[in-house]
Amino acid sequence: MSEQDTLEVRTVEISYFDGTKRTAEIVDREVPYPDGKLIVSRTDPQGIITHANQSFIDMSGYSEEELIGTNHYILRHPDMPAIAFKGLWDTIDQGTKWHGYVKNLRKDGAYYWVKATVIPNIRNGQLVGYTSVRRKPSRSKIEESEALYKTLMAEE
Amino acid sequence: MTFNLTVSPDFAPDHISGWYFFNTWLQRKLDVGIHLELYDNFEAQRNDIRADKFDMIYANPYDASMLVREMGFQAIARPASKSDETVIAVNAESLFQTVEDLKPGSRVATTDDPDVHTMGMIMLESADLDKSNTDIKQHSSYVVVAKNLLNGDADAGFFLKEAYDELSELIRSKMRVLVSSEISVVHHSLLVGPRMVEHIPAIQTALLTMQDDDKGKGVLESMDIKHWEPMDSEQTEFMIDLIDTLIE
């Protein structure tokens, strides 16, 4: 956990872009990103998870059965501003690679930070889905991102 | 017509003879001539690959990407339960206990192995280190990387895990692993080029049953491969997409 973690628990209603909502218990506790691992997932063009590797299962706290067939936004932490994800979708919609720092929400309400890269999967000229690979971010990048996202959230 | 086979130069030198045995075995199975050419560095091999010199390549994941997307090769098999992992090691006496202990200005010993170097640099990111704030020196082999750590000429060294594990016990006892990757989905593969495409069914059949007879089994052992597993185009594309996410 990070030094700033309070372990405070709050109940938050999270609204997704497609109009669905869910109520989640959020715990202010960081789960450190494991050294040397990559979290890998793939989705279809609508963002529905079609593949999750073991690191993804371990870090998200969900089982493989729970992840497959679910929208990737299940990981969205309420501290992440919507505009950050708009940037992601605008970039990959153009067929290009997106990099960013993301605070993810675990099933147990705790969080973990990642450096994420998302690329479109093109087969015979057609978009068939997206691959997302997450790796360990540096503490300084996490701090920069936390400050930036707080500012952006205040503006939303 | 004689076809040309080459092997990514990152395998342990102990297995060189294994690849010659494999070539002889494969020629007999297919009843075609195949010439094996080995290289001791990636750059020279890559230049010859780009010059379209080869028909069959046992390639590292980075070269597989170029071969499939730019040169029309098809991945047909991969070695079973063998993935490409990277180790960052330090001198056993070093004060560095985690990657985050490494500071700007750190001296890094590496090789020209593209996947190991890239993964090594990715694992340094968590310490805010990149090529702009480290002193990176490329060496001709993993043994030379180890020597640099032992002599105190480098703070950290990048190794293919398989090559690290095959260093002598004496050398390994003087080093310590700081971090080892656990990616498991990035691996070498055997690819076949457009000129040899009509032989793919026969090659696949031969490879996938290789462990069933004593001769084939012996050749596999000399290459340090348990058996071959089939690879289809989607598995290949998945690995290439993954590699793409790792390249800046």
Side-chain angles (χ1 to χ4, degrees):
Chain A
M1 72 185 259
S2 97
E3 285 166 20
Q4 288 81 35
D5 286 350
T6 61
L7 303 181
E8 178 203 355
V9 180
R10 59 193 160 115
T11 304
V12 176
E13 187 176 68
I14 307 173
S15 305
Y16 301 114
F17 74 91
D18 59 3
T20 57
K21 291 176 181 182
R22 78 170 171 122
T23 304
E25 285 218 325
I26 309 297
V27 187
D28 190 27
R29 176 175 65 86
E30 180 173 10
V31 175
Y33 194 103
D35 281 323
K37 297 204 176 178
L38 295 179
I39 295 175
V40 181
S41 58
R42 299 170 86 187
T43 70
D44 69 10
Q46 285 71 45
I48 305 297
I49 300 169
T50 55
H51 169 91
N53 76 345
Q54 191 57 47
S55 298
F56 187 23
I57 294 164
D58 294 343
M59 280 304 277
S60 68
Y62 291 98
S63 68
E64 186 173 9
E65 293 71 32
E66 286 172 318
L67 289 170
I68 305 294
T70 303
N71 197 296
H72 217 282
Y73 62 45
I74 193 170
L75 300 167
R76 186 179 154 188
H77 197 283
D79 291 351
M80 284 297 295
I83 197 164
F85 294 104
K86 186 177 180 304
L88 186 167
W89 282 103
D90 287 350
T91 306
I92 56 177
D93 276 350
Q94 289 165 10
T96 48
K97 196 186 299 186
W98 179 87
H99 286 291
Y101 294 88
V102 181
K103 183 176 188 175
N104 279 148
L105 178 61
R106 289 165 49 93
K107 185 181 180 183
D108 64 7
Y111 67 92
Y112 59 101
W113 278 94
V114 298
K115 178 181 179 182
T117 306
V118 184
I119 58 161
N121 306 139
I122 311 293
R123 306 284 184 267
N124 303 316
Q126 297 291 315
L127 174 76
V128 296
Y130 300 98
T131 297
S132 171
V133 176
R134 281 84 83 193
R135 55 217 221 204
K136 188 177 184 181
S138 72
R139 196 34 65 186
S140 71
K141 294 289 183 197
I142 292 174
E143 284 162 11
E144 271 174 35
S145 306
E146 265 178 333
L148 172 68
Y149 295 156
K150 251 182 208 156
T151 311
L152 293 172
M153 288 291 286
E155 288 169 6
E156 277 182 3
Chain B
M1 178 182 183
T2 299
F3 295 105
N4 290 300
L5 162 69
T6 190
V7 179
S8 182
D10 49 11
F11 58 92
D14 300 357
H15 307 308
I16 287 180
S17 54
W19 283 100
Y20 282 100
F21 299 149
F22 174 74
N23 190 36
T24 306
W25 174 88
L26 192 62
Q27 288 182 82
R28 286 197 185 132
K29 284 277 174 189
L30 301 179
D31 199 21
V32 294
I34 303 172
H35 166 73
L36 170 64
E37 188 150 347
L38 297 180
Y39 293 79
D40 59 9
N41 76 84
F42 287 88
E43 196 52 40
Q45 186 190 48
R46 208 171 255 198
N47 288 339
D48 281 352
I49 290 174
R50 285 202 184 276
D52 201 16
K53 205 173 153 186
F54 294 105
D55 305 293
M56 188 187 276
I57 304 179
Y58 183 66
N60 65 67
Y62 284 77
D63 288 342
S65 178
M66 165 182 79
L67 289 162
V68 171
R69 296 234 165 125
E70 296 169 33
M71 299 184 70
F73 275 64
Q74 293 177 45
I76 59 161
R78 59 163 294 190
S81 51
K82 204 173 194 176
S83 56
D84 290 359
E85 304 293 355
T86 297
V87 161
I88 299 182
V90 295
N91 187 306
E93 311 276 300
S94 156
L95 295 175
F96 305 121
Q97 298 298 327
T98 68
V99 169
E100 286 79 12
D101 292 336
L102 292 163
K103 299 290 173 234
S106 288
R107 297 161 305 160
V108 177
T110 186
T111 61
D112 65 348
D113 190 331
D115 43 339
V116 172
H117 181 72
T118 302
M119 200 51 217
M121 292 308 290
I122 283 174
M123 291 196 293
L124 289 184
E125 282 177 357
S126 61
D128 278 325
L129 297 179
D130 57 36
K131 63 183 178 194
S132 73
N133 62 3
T134 46
D135 178 11
I136 301 168
K137 286 218 166 60
Q138 197 180 83
H139 300 288
S140 57
S141 72
Y142 293 117
V143 174
V144 182
V145 171
K147 275 186 187 155
N148 273 264
L149 290 179
L150 268 45
N151 295 340
D153 293 327
D155 299 308
F158 297 165
F159 297 85
L160 179 68
K161 184 173 186 303
E162 196 181 349
Y164 183 87
D165 292 341
E166 291 191 2
L167 290 169
S168 77
E169 222 171 288
L170 179 70
I171 294 182
R172 270 185 294 133
S173 71
K174 292 180 177 171
M175 297 192 290
R176 178 160 41 83
V177 174
L178 214 51
V179 61
S180 184
S181 74
E182 292 175 64
I183 304 170
S184 70
V185 284
V186 174
H187 51 76
H188 279 52
S189 45
L190 190 69
L191 297 107
V192 174
R195 284 187 299 266
M196 211 176 178
V197 81
E198 66 183 278
H199 295 282
I200 287 178
I203 300 169
Q204 262 188 327
T205 305
L207 293 179
L208 300 181
T209 55
M210 199 172 169
Q211 70 281 7
D212 296 345
D213 68 76
D214 288 345
K215 213 165 237 174
K217 209 171 174 180
V219 174
L220 282 168
E221 275 167 20
S222 65
M223 297 156 78
D224 193 30
I225 290 174
K226 281 186 192 131
H227 61 88
W228 294 96
E229 283 177 352
M231 263 187 94
D232 61 28
S233 65
E234 188 47 41
Q235 284 170 304
T236 312
E237 293 286 352
F238 174 44
M239 187 174 78
I240 295 173
D241 281 336
L242 202 151
I243 297 289
D244 271 358
T245 69
L246 304 179
I247 302 170
E248 289 302 315

